Amino acid sequence: MWFLENAWIIPIIPTVSFALILLFGKKLRFTNGGAYIGLAAITASFVLSAITAYYWIDRVRSAGGEGGEHGGEHGLALVRAIGRSVIPLAEEHGGPVVEPVIKSFTWWKMGGYELTFGSHVDGLAVALLVMVTIISLCVHVFSLGYMKGDIRFTHYYAGLSLFTAGMLNLVIAESTLQLLLGWEIMGLCSFMLIGHWWEDGKNSRAALKAFFTTRTGDIGLLIGITIVFWGAQSFSIQETNTWALSDGAGRSFLFWGSVALFVAVIGKSGQFPLHTWLPDAMAGPTPVSAIIHAATMVVAGVFLVARLYPVFWEGFNIADGQINGMALIGGITILIAAALAFVQTDIKKVLAYSTVSQLGYMVMGLGVGAWLPAVFHIFTHAFFKAGLFLGAGSIAHSGSHHSFDMKKDMGGLRKYMPITFWTFVICTLALCGFFPFSGFFSKDEILANAGHNEYEFFKWVGLVGAFMTAAYMTRCIYLTFFGTYRGGHRSEAEMVGDFGHSYAGQDIDAELAAAGVRGAALAEEQPGGYQTAVLHAHERHDHPTAHAVDDTHGTHDTHGAHDTHGAHDDHHGEPHESPALLTVPLIVLAFLATTSGFLLALPFDWEFFKEWVEPSAEGGFFPEVDHAPFLWSEALVSIGLAAAGVVISFLLCKAIYERRFLEGFTRRNVLARAGYAFLWNKYYLDDLYEKVVVAGVSGPIARAANWFNQNIIDAVVNGTGVGTRKLGEWTYARVDQGVVDRAVNGTGEVAEGTGEVLRPVQSGRVQQYGALLFGAAAVGALILIFTS
């Protein structure tokens, strides 16, 4: 019980790690630039999260009787699965009410209201705690090899620690204000980490785009929290959920509160139409992309809906079926993001649009009443999506000369990188929803519940999305691992020519060159969205002063950087498998992508995740949702569509990329050219936002500000200058020359005249001095006579 009541310690540990890394990361060499501090902190948080999960499961099983509702006896699992497939059994939602463990501290009081912070631990929080810490731990380990020698290695690990702390704080938040704190910490950290290589303008713009786009949605979060507070008269999440399901909850508060909060979800979780920042966030280091897309930033919005689900349940009337705003936005996001993935040549952008599409599944699932499957999809998606992103990093690190372009620099890598290949394939199978990988169990349940809850249209949207997912991921695997290897040796000059960018032309590199270190962090996006990144700054072997960079640029010891370079070979070697620091996290994530789905494997009647995570409606703080029975007949439709997507896409890839079938078709055919351009330019949403919306707002404001500056501010400044000059001239002529100088000169003239008068007295003649003395005595005698 102690661990459940003190779960607030879990986010505190990486927060302290953040401070320690900044203070001592560069000073204490045994910390490896602070990396070991961050690694130790996230390991401790993971251990505490696992122990907390153990005690929560024990609490649930104790409430349900010894052994729990589903404890043991799986010998007849297959028989029950067949029976459920033929004759669906009635599904009972209930079970024992397991109250969340809430511990709060009064922060401050205002107008009779207590503002609190603390921890809210329940099944949802426990599941996310374990998931976030596992992903962050894998990213920390992966980064030891991937980011070694980076110019801001210490700051990178500090950012990772704070990023993880922000998400963990959001997960256990006891109040909506505390949730807001974690939400904004992640926004700040994403800005820092996406713009980690800020010397490149593209990276800086990507970081700013992510920051401002999510800030747009955050306005909705502030408004939504305020509306819900005035309705519930409390910031407490538990009290807010209880109020939302009560008879006295105001409909207007619920509707407008849920709409405002959902705007925040659209911005943070990359839903249409504010999804445009998420693919551009690939400018950051690949491990950052993994943690953003799998376990932190983008998951926060979906978690917000899951945490305050009673508010959205009532605000959007989810129980009524047919259609609502949340389901609609989620469905649109599934399809538009999947379509964009087909035209990408950058492997990270394919995965980024895949994330957007999968987030659409989660939001749509919550919108159609499939709370448990949507939350389970958050859980399973984290493992296979982190595996895919880290797999892309492994490919760039050891297979494609630090390029992410599938067409130019990859192909045929399966024979060079077998571990990376097979882990990538396993995670792809989970993403596509193939049995028995984890994505099948979570995604299939979302679709089944959509149909079961009278959201039939969205069920078919999800099925189409499943076909598209399998198709674009097959294209991705084919271009990366099949065919012939298209990489090869390229000199630095050739890379500059390819990328149209010389890193040495930047100010930071001038300083690096002076220290004897040449930068190798190239990140440039060519016209049409092609982006590549060279990730390491390594030491020149012939310069003894490379360690000077440590004090001026915030890197850890660069003496060993060239050893790293040698460890993963250099630009001149053939592609090869990545070292263990990179492949071990891939193996762990592939294992979890394979096995995590069995926590909610309805074909085998295994419902552990439901038992441990889903609240009971009888507690009064969660709506009564209905669960669809599992049917193999429906599941096979989803599997069949995914399989069709794989086969069709693979055959098309061989025809197009090997046999040059339909080569130049998009140039010859007007409709094909228009459609391709429409997708290539991302539906022109960036043009709409930047050239119409932003320019339409910022342009008039800028012109008005310029007019005000020229005609008002400059006039005031210039007028003040002219007036001051004239005042100075008058002061000089009248006061300084006419009064001060005359007074000084007059004093001198008086002193000179007095001196001339007194000068004869100082003649030096004794007789004259005696006469003057006698005269003075006579005058004194006369005065005494007359006065007496």
Side-chain angles (χ1 to χ4, degrees), residues 186-196 204 207-208 210-211 297:
M186 284 191 292
L188 174 63
C189 291
S190 68
F191 171 74
M192 295 189 298
L193 291 171
I194 293 170
H196 179 72
S204 296
L208 288 170
F211 187 78
M297 183 83 165

Side-chain angles (χ1 to χ4, degrees), residues 5 58 95 114-115 145 172 267 279 317 333 400 462 471 497 507 530 544 553-554 575 640 643 645 656 735 754 770:
E5 291 180 344
D58 182 68
E114 285 192 357
L115 305 182
I172 66 163
N317 295 317
T333 303
S400 62
D507 293 340
Y530 168 64
H553 295 290
I656 293 172
V735 178
T754 305

Side-chain angles (χ1 to χ4, degrees), residues 485-509:
Y485 180 60
R486 296 176 293 276
H489 165 63
R490 290 183 299 168
S491 67
E492 187 172 338
E494 289 172 329
M495 287 195 293
V496 169
D498 283 347
F499 305 147
H501 172 74
S502 175
Y503 194 79
Q506 299 171 358
D507 293 340
I508 188 73
D509 280 83

Side-chain angles (χ1 to χ4, degrees), residues 127-256:
L128 269 290
L129 285 175
V130 173
M131 180 268 285
V132 171
T133 51
I134 289 177
I135 300 299
S136 184
L137 181 58
C138 289
V139 169
H140 273 72
V141 173
F142 188 92
S143 298
L144 286 174
Y146 191 81
M147 296 297 292
K148 186 176 182 181
D150 185 81
I151 192 171
R152 280 179 289 275
F153 187 82
T154 298
H155 294 128
Y156 170 83
Y157 266 93
L160 275 187
S161 288
L162 187 60
F163 203 14
T164 305
M167 183 63 186
L168 293 175
N169 174 74
L170 180 141
V171 166
I172 66 163
E174 183 271 336
S175 68
T176 52
L177 286 182
Q178 186 179 346
L179 184 147
L180 175 64
L181 175 63
W183 184 284
E184 295 301 333
I185 287 174
M186 284 191 292
L188 174 63
C189 291
S190 68
F191 171 74
M192 295 189 298
L193 291 171
I194 293 170
H196 179 72
W197 293 311
W198 49 263
E199 296 87 0
D200 191 298
K202 296 286 185 181
N203 300 340
S204 296
R205 286 193 291 274
L208 288 170
K209 183 177 182 179
F211 187 78
F212 288 126
T213 304
T214 54
R215 292 291 77 72
T216 301
D218 291 355
I219 295 173
L221 181 63
L222 292 172
I223 295 173
I225 288 175
T226 304
I227 293 174
V228 171
F229 167 75
W230 289 115
Q233 296 292 298
S234 175
F235 288 111
S236 167
I237 289 175
Q238 183 78 343
E239 293 179 11
T240 298
N241 286 337
T242 303
W243 161 80
L245 296 175
S246 66
D247 295 334
R251 300 302 307 173
S252 59
F253 281 112
L254 288 169
F255 174 74
W256 291 111

